[in-house]
Amino acid sequence: MGLTDEALHDAAEAARILRAGGLVAFPTETVYGLGADAEHEGAVRRVFAVKGRPADHPLIVHVAEAAMLAAWTTSAVSPIASQLAERFWPGPLTLIVPRGARVPHVVTGGQETVGLRVPAHPLALAMLRAHGGGVAAPSANRFGKVSPTTAAHVRADLGTDVDFVLDGGPCDVGIESTIVDVSGAEPVILRPGGVTKEELEGVIGRSIRVRTSKVEGETRAPGVLESHYAPNARVVLVERPELAARVTSERAAGERVAVLASVADLTTIAPLLATPNDERALIVLPLVDSAEALAQRLYAALRDADHLGATVIVVPLPEAEGLGLALRDRLEKAAAAR
Ligand code: TXA
Ligand code: MG
């Protein structure tokens, strides 16, 4: 996609602000990021402050091209890292590699590894090229809240705490990148995301493990998950056949219910629409027809449900394959106890 002169001008302005230690929200194909020059420690600290994020949650460093991988890690780039970078960058994949000397500790939360990614968005790439270095960025939302997929979401969340918002329209993928740790002997998926497990396995030629707890070896009580990606409304996950019964019982309990369903659920939803009481009318969020469409609309739909006054959002769980793995991860975190 070619960029207009105005877009190129904005990208250059964003790069200038970053170099001066400012914060820039920018579009990527996954979600919007809140960027700081990765080598400007003061700016990186401000990102943590604005997000309200604990200092031990490291930031991803975004760079303009795969050739920059070597500059941000230690001298020897592992064969798997180069293979994955070559196949999926630019794209929704973050590689965890040993931290290079130029990566400040404040970026990695003190860890000896760093997350690197080349985003597939023309405006982000123009900004990164104009900047020339690395841009450390988490998703541009307050800690624990829903990630932004439009510039309007960023402005609503961060207001004047960000110096510049690059508007690149709605994000294509809609959920965050897949994070793969390639710093150890075996690659491990730390967070499912826009690149699927199946796609990764296709490239490395064998099965890849998905880490399920935050710290390797840590035992967690079943069902105990960190609340994250959460709207104000309570999120309730159901198996498809239970959809109608759950909507009915939540409404009977006095809740204002929204459903985030697919076209396939239309016949289930239709009879639920008739209600004598407007206060309790069912809110039907945009119906989706694929995991890709659900990913693209998920975060905007959760925000819409809040704006429409829903107190409960009922979501049929997607199948645990392809993008469905990442969708279930985000939905389970949105539904986790606060
Ligand atoms: O799609 C994305 O990845 C978006 C866009 C803006 O690039 N970014 C994003 O960043 O989702 P954030 O900070 O919201 O989530 C990054 C996750 C965090 O959970 C962080 O703990 C993990 O990546 N992470 C970053 N560096 C790491 C490292 N060295 N080791 C393990 N996990 C790391
Ligand atoms: Mg985030």
Side-chain angles (χ1 to χ4, degrees), residues 173-176 192-194 229 237 260 288 290-299 315-334:
V173 176
I175 55 171
E176 297 80 356
Y229 313 101
L237 307 180
L260 179 47
V288 295
S290 63
E292 286 70 24
L294 178 56
Q296 206 172 49
R297 312 189 84 142
L298 176 65
Y299 292 148
V315 191
L317 270 172
E319 301 289 325
E321 59 184 26
L323 261 192
L325 207 61
L327 287 166
R328 289 171 73 109
D329 171 73
R330 304 307 187 274
L331 286 166
E332 278 159 7
K333 290 187 170 110

Side-chain angles (χ1 to χ4, degrees), residues 1 3 7-8 10-12 14-15 18 24-35 61-65 68 90-91 117-135 137 164-169 171:
M1 184 177 102
L3 289 172
L8 285 170
D10 285 351
L18 287 167
V24 171
F26 63 98
T28 80
E29 79 283 30
T30 59
V31 301
Y32 274 71
L34 174 62
V61 175
H62 299 73
V63 294
E65 54 185 21
M68 289 169 79
R117 174 163 116 80
V118 179
H121 192 293
L123 207 47
L125 290 172
M127 177 189 82
L128 291 169
R129 267 185 231 113
H131 176 268
V135 173
F164 192 70
V165 180
L166 253 188
D167 189 345
C171 300

Side-chain angles (χ1 to χ4, degrees), residues 26 28 30-33 51 53 57-60 62 94 96 108 111 113-115 117 137-139 175-177 179 190-191:
F26 63 98
T28 80
T30 59
V31 301
Y32 274 71
K51 263 200 80 100
R53 176 162 169 154
H57 281 235
L59 306 184
I60 295 169
H62 299 73
T94 296
I96 305 295
T108 67
Q111 305 204 46
T113 54
V114 62
R117 174 163 116 80
S139 50
I175 55 171
E176 297 80 356
S177 63
I179 302 180
L190 302 187
R191 176 179 75 182

Side-chain angles (χ1 to χ4, degrees), residues 17-310:
I17 293 170
L18 287 167
R19 275 193 302 267
L23 302 192
V24 171
F26 63 98
T28 80
E29 79 283 30
T30 59
V31 301
Y32 274 71
L34 174 62
D37 184 325
E39 290 168 284
H40 192 301
E41 293 195 23
V44 174
R45 286 210 166 80
R46 225 181 112 208
V47 168
F48 283 94
V50 166
K51 263 200 80 100
R53 176 162 169 154
D56 61 354
H57 281 235
L59 306 184
I60 295 169
V61 175
H62 299 73
V63 294
E65 54 185 21
M68 289 169 79
L69 179 58
W72 290 86
T73 182
T74 42
S75 49
V77 178
S78 77
I80 284 193
S82 350
Q83 202 182 10
L84 293 178
E86 190 182 321
R87 167 63 181 81
F88 295 108
W89 284 354
L93 176 71
T94 296
L95 294 174
I96 305 295
V97 295
R99 181 184 70 88
R102 72 190 284 187
V103 185
H105 281 110
V106 59
V107 169
T108 67
Q111 305 204 46
E112 282 312 314
T113 54
V114 62
L116 296 175
R117 174 163 116 80
V118 179
H121 192 293
L123 207 47
L125 290 172
M127 177 189 82
L128 291 169
R129 267 185 231 113
H131 176 268
V135 173
S139 50
N141 52 286
R142 310 271 181 200
F143 188 62
K145 299 294 183 183
V146 178
S147 301
T149 53
T150 67
H153 293 163
V154 175
R155 293 192 191 98
D157 285 357
L158 302 181
T160 53
D161 286 347
V162 52
D163 300 309
F164 192 70
V165 180
L166 253 188
D167 189 345
C171 300
D172 249 14
V173 176
I175 55 171
E176 297 80 356
S177 63
T178 301
I179 302 180
V180 181
D181 186 346
V182 286
S183 69
E186 282 297 314
V188 183
I189 297 175
L190 302 187
R191 176 179 75 182
V195 170
T196 66
K197 181 172 182 283
E198 293 86 342
E199 287 174 305
L200 291 166
E201 290 175 342
V203 169
I204 63 173
R206 60 200 143 93
S207 80
I208 180 166
R209 200 158 59 85
V210 182
R211 192 185 66 174
T212 48
S213 73
K214 201 173 157 219
V215 176
E216 201 74 287
E218 180 192 43
T219 49
R220 302 185 120 214
V224 177
L225 279 165
E226 250 181 311
S227 168
H228 217 103
Y229 313 101
N232 297 323
R234 177 163 55 90
V235 175
V236 171
L237 307 180
V238 296
E239 297 297 338
R240 283 227 130 69
E242 297 157 13
L243 178 59
R246 190 59 187 258
V247 168
T248 305
S249 67
E250 293 290 348
R251 287 161 103 187
E255 302 287 359
R256 181 90 210 267
V257 178
V259 285
L260 179 47
S262 74
V263 174
D265 301 311
L266 255 180
T267 48
T268 309
I269 295 166
L272 303 170
L273 288 170
T275 167
N277 180 348
D278 278 343
E279 279 287 282
R280 303 258 189 90
L282 182 65
I283 299 168
V284 181
L285 298 164
L287 296 175
V288 295
D289 60 7
S290 63
E292 286 70 24
L294 178 56
Q296 206 172 49
R297 312 189 84 142
L298 176 65
Y299 292 148
L302 296 178
R303 284 166 187 264
D304 287 348
D306 277 347
H307 290 139
L308 294 167

